[in-house]
Amino acid sequence: MRKTKRTFSKLKFIPLISCCIVAVATVAMMSHAAFRTSVLPLSDTQNSSKTAEVASAQDSLEKTKSQKETTEVKTQTKTVEIDGIQRVVHDELPIRQPSLSPEEATDVSIVVEKSKHLLTLYNGDAVIAQYSVGLASHYTEGAKQQEGDKRNPEGEYEVCVLNDQSKFYLALGLNYPNANDAKRGLESGLITQAEYDDILSALAADQVPNWYTKLGGQIMIHGQKGNLGGQTDWTTGCVAVNNQVMDILWKYCKVGTKVTILA
């Protein structure tokens, strides 16, 4: 009788043990399934999406780097004696071909930044090339005011003459004085009302404005004078570049090309 009771007592624990085993097995299976889900390979669609995201991030990084390289151009200057004259010489950018061919560049313009000694060639809003420029010997004194002040003008201009007989290799003549320059000249008494009217008439007709008033004229982007080019400030009011650069600009610019000169 006691033996039977002990046997019955042992049997009471069998269902409990069975439940525990089932519970442990269930948890183990669920954990395994969760682990498999976490390490399952991405589908082709997911892989493609991830690859596109990485490529986009890399492209954005490259664009940011390119923009910084484009906009953060800085030059170091020093004064040296050249041909018996003290000249300001600055670092020079390497001369590279534009990123678009002349045929591909259909909306060309130029921006000259005097403070950076930098000429930027644009196609639309895109920078396609940048080159060093030499400026007037007194460019740091501000915008050109009158004939003989050895300053570069500042403002918006256009190419109005293509001169392949320039004494400075090749030259793109600019329509300085523009309307703003003429107004300033009239208000300051440098030019007469007749000269003012003549300048405005020429500009309206896309012709060369009067270059022979007290405002000065014949402002050009041109090539070298001997060894003096885009690395030295030596002109009387023009923007100078090395002859190799002038060859490039000659292919890309035409009458009507916009040229902006900034301080």
Side-chain angles (χ1 to χ4, degrees):
M1 185 69 178
R2 288 180 180 176
K3 184 177 181 180
T4 302
K5 286 183 178 181
R6 284 198 297 268
T7 301
F8 180 75
S9 178
K10 290 179 181 180
L11 289 175
K12 288 195 299 181
F13 291 99
I14 291 176
L16 180 60
I17 294 172
S18 299
C19 289
C20 291
I21 292 173
V22 170
V24 170
T26 301
V27 171
M29 290 176 64
M30 290 176 66
S31 298
H32 182 66
F35 176 76
R36 288 187 59 192
T37 301
S38 67
V39 299
L40 279 176
L42 296 173
S43 67
D44 290 343
T45 301
Q46 290 172 316
N47 268 324
S48 176
S49 176
K50 289 293 182 183
T51 302
E53 289 177 8
V54 172
S56 177
Q58 290 175 337
D59 184 54
S60 177
L61 181 62
E62 288 299 321
K63 285 181 178 178
T64 301
K65 181 180 178 182
S66 176
Q67 288 171 352
K68 286 184 178 180
E69 291 174 349
T70 298
T71 59
E72 294 181 1
V73 175
K74 296 181 180 179
T75 57
Q76 300 295 322
T77 62
K78 61 182 179 180
T79 302
V80 300
E81 184 175 310
I82 301 176
D83 299 331
I85 301 175
Q86 294 293 316
R87 306 278 191 187
V88 175
V89 178
H90 51 83
D91 297 338
E92 192 172 8
L93 293 176
I95 299 173
R96 298 190 177 99
Q97 291 295 318
S99 57
L100 296 177
S101 69
E103 294 73 26
E104 294 171 318
T106 57
D107 185 18
V108 172
S109 63
I110 288 173
V111 174
V112 175
E113 296 174 80
K114 296 196 299 184
S115 62
K116 296 181 180 180
H117 287 86
L118 181 68
L119 182 152
T120 302
L121 188 65
Y122 284 89
N123 182 58
D125 294 329
V127 174
I128 60 174
Q130 291 186 310
Y131 304 108
S132 297
V133 295
L135 301 172
S137 54
H138 294 176
Y139 84 92
T140 57
E141 297 177 10
K144 186 172 187 61
Q145 300 296 310
Q146 60 186 20
E147 175 68 22
D149 61 9
K150 296 183 180 180
R151 304 180 188 181
N152 305 98
E154 295 174 9
E156 295 184 357
Y157 302 93
E158 292 183 0
V159 174
C160 61
V161 171
L162 301 175
N163 183 7
D164 61 358
Q165 301 298 317
S166 171
K167 61 182 178 180
F168 305 124
Y169 190 56
L170 298 170
L172 305 173
L174 306 185
N175 63 347
Y176 171 91
N178 64 16
N180 290 333
D181 300 316
K183 181 180 180 182
R184 171 179 53 79
L186 179 63
E187 292 174 347
S188 65
L190 278 175
I191 63 174
T192 65
Q193 182 67 50
E195 289 172 325
Y196 172 82
D197 293 340
D198 182 48
I199 290 171
L200 262 59
S201 295
L203 293 171
D206 293 326
Q207 296 175 350
V208 180
N210 188 348
W211 282 348
Y212 303 100
T213 72
K214 290 183 180 180
L215 286 171
Q218 299 188 68
I219 301 300
M220 305 194 181
I221 300 174
H222 60 61
Q224 296 176 213
K225 176 185 178 182
N227 292 324
L228 298 175
Q231 78 288 349
T232 308
D233 297 327
W234 59 275
T235 77
T236 58
C238 296
V239 175
V241 295
N242 287 353
N243 288 350
Q244 289 173 272
V245 175
M246 199 63 231
D247 282 332
I248 293 170
L249 299 180
W250 191 260
K251 294 176 183 177
Y252 283 78
C253 299
K254 58 186 179 181
V255 171
T257 296
K258 295 185 184 303
V259 178
T260 302
I261 303 178
L262 304 175

